[in-house]
Amino acid sequence: MRIEAITLHHIDMPLVAPFETSFGRETHRPCILVEMRADGRTGWGECVAGAGPWYAYETIGTAWHIIGEFLAPMLINQDIDSPEAIVERFARVRGHPMARAAVEAAFWDIFAQARGVSLARLIGATRQRVSVGVSVGIEPTLAAQLERIAQFVDAGYARIKLKIKPGWDVAVVRAVRERWPDIALQVDANSAYTLADAPVFRELDEMNLLLIEQPLHHEDIVDHARLQSQVQTPICLDESIHSPDHARWALDIDACRVINIKIGRVGGLTAARQIHDLCASRGVPVWCGGMLETNVGRAVNLALAALPNFTLPGDISASARYYHHDIATPDFVLNDDSTITVPDTPGTGVVVLPERLRAVQVREMTISKG
Ligand code: OSB
Ligand code: MG
């Protein structure tokens, strides 16, 4: 397939409700959509880099630069016949996984369309519906936090993830456990603690949590291994895992017993699938993380989460939990059994709506030959 043009769309989407983590509070989510044209087909990929370098060092600005100046020019007017060929061409790029992943995703969309199959089927998905939960942001008061969780439980989410930070942890989790003694519950610290906080995690260890996500430094695996040796609850790494090698290193030293796989953070769907396979071979469960994606990114997350070793519920909530008017259709809805149905039409299974896109677009740039 000859890649003719790549257009970047920087958009800014107002969230249905503010989302607060240990690194900050967000009311809007900007992202870059990558539109790729090849052989008369159009594929779309979503870049999950944020407004600022808080969750990761990549931002809208760095991704715009890296895709526009380096990644897109490596592909324009080239014959690319598989996603692996893209991975090979990008292999000499250090870092910038979110930028690489977005371009690779756009190609996967075209590649699946050309074969007339859904992305999920193409990558080896084994289920039609995937179990999902909801990642609940930090609220200003405990009462508001409990109310917010109650809304999601009432909406049918069977797994709740609480964001924690120093001063907003044990007491909050205890209150949630008292109100919902049996609900599947996990916490995510987004790197807000150090090993000196081990006593906090020993207390959380008594609260029947599915896992404790990324308690320590975003680049650390050594201290995570030390903490894992002190608690029974599985530690799950998010921020620390940027590639299949990172996953292997972390598992080799027992730094975690679960991995949150995010396609953007690990540099693409190919790498995400490799981490899935590695974890499966070692009996380590994985789940699909989320980055408040639009339906473009969510569709790819659903295809990934349909692979067999995604045995824990993903952070893939219904479209309406994020945006009033998504830029792509159809919207994803929550089924009665806290699952979301995996798209089964050719490609990623979603279609971008040009007028919706225009309404939220900040800037646009096309890279093409001549
Ligand atoms: O740590 O998993 C995280 C959103 C932005 C950045 C980091 C994280 C998150 C989430 C949101 O938890 C999950 C979702 O998309 O529903
Ligand atoms: Mg996380």
Side-chain angles (χ1 to χ4, degrees), residues 133-342:
V134 62
S135 173
V136 187
I138 294 169
E139 295 291 332
T141 65
L142 183 56
Q145 182 78 85
L146 294 174
E147 173 54 28
R148 195 85 179 101
I149 297 165
Q151 288 168 2
F152 288 124
V153 172
D154 292 347
Y157 290 101
R159 186 280 265 158
I160 298 293
K161 167 168 132 181
L162 291 179
K163 291 289 188 178
I164 58 168
K165 62 180 181 180
W168 189 264
D169 43 43
V170 173
V172 179
V173 176
R174 184 172 291 126
V176 173
R177 262 284 166 254
E178 274 167 16
R179 179 134 166 214
W180 293 280
D182 302 318
I183 199 160
L185 187 64
Q186 62 194 55
V187 294
D188 185 0
N190 288 111
S191 298
Y193 296 85
T194 69
L195 256 195
D197 299 306
V200 169
F201 297 100
R202 284 197 294 268
E203 279 199 80
L204 292 174
D205 205 20
E206 304 298 320
M207 296 184 184
N208 187 26
L209 300 176
L210 280 176
L211 55 89
I212 297 170
E213 183 176 346
Q214 195 72 35
L216 309 180
H217 193 277
H218 63 278
E219 284 167 328
D220 169 74
I221 56 171
V222 175
D223 282 351
H224 278 111
R226 294 200 174 98
L227 184 62
Q228 181 67 87
S229 73
Q230 298 180 45
V231 294
Q232 302 292 312
T233 309
I235 287 181
C236 167
L237 290 179
D238 174 353
E239 281 89 331
S240 298
I241 306 297
H242 300 286
S243 67
D245 281 329
H246 281 98
R248 182 169 53 81
W249 296 329
L251 295 180
D252 279 352
I253 65 166
D254 196 24
C256 64
R257 294 179 186 162
V258 173
I259 291 180
N260 164 338
I261 301 182
K262 290 181 182 170
I263 296 166
R265 197 196 66 231
V266 304
L269 185 54
T270 303
R273 197 161 53 154
Q274 286 165 352
I275 295 175
H276 162 273
D277 295 349
L278 170 77
C279 290
S281 74
R282 300 209 186 180
V284 172
V286 300
W287 56 284
C288 184
M291 292 292 286
L292 311 175
E293 286 90 348
T294 72
N295 286 338
V296 170
R298 194 169 335 287
V300 185
N301 286 348
L302 285 163
L304 177 69
L307 294 178
N309 193 42
F310 279 82
T311 52
L312 290 165
D315 274 349
I316 312 173
S317 306
S319 306
R321 178 256 185 281
Y322 305 95
Y323 305 108
H324 290 297
H325 304 291
D326 205 290
I327 45 81
T329 188
D331 275 337
F332 295 103
V333 295
L334 190 68
N335 301 318
D336 294 344
D337 54 351
S338 194
T339 64
I340 293 182
T341 303
V342 181

